[in-house]
Amino acid sequence: MRATLLAILAAALLALPAGAVAQTPTDDVYSHAESRQQTAPADAKSAGLAFTGLDVGVVVLAGAFLVGTGLLIRRASRET
């Protein structure tokens, strides 16, 4: 009974709109788009994707480590 009441309360709170809903409509912010100028890239190289500094190799190694650790834990839990 108590868990059901808490679940209903949580669902009701999540259904209510948050107090930090957009203060002004998006149209107010972007309505003067024609007054903004867009500058062309300085050279042809800058037309490609921007470098974010993320080293993909490190992310792949971390993912492989996490998958391997998960498999080891799964195997160890089966043996006991």
Side-chain angles (χ1 to χ4, degrees), residues 22-33 36:
Q23 299 297 320
T24 59
T26 307
D27 291 337
D28 289 347
V29 178
Y30 294 107
S31 64
H32 303 291
R36 297 184 185 150

Side-chain angles (χ1 to χ4, degrees), residues 43-77:
D43 56 66
K45 286 185 178 180
S46 66
L49 293 175
F51 178 68
T52 61
L54 178 67
D55 191 6
V56 177
V58 174
V59 174
V60 170
L61 286 175
F65 173 76
L66 290 172
V67 168
T69 303
L71 291 173
L72 285 174
I73 291 173
R74 183 177 178 185
R75 184 176 210 185
S77 68

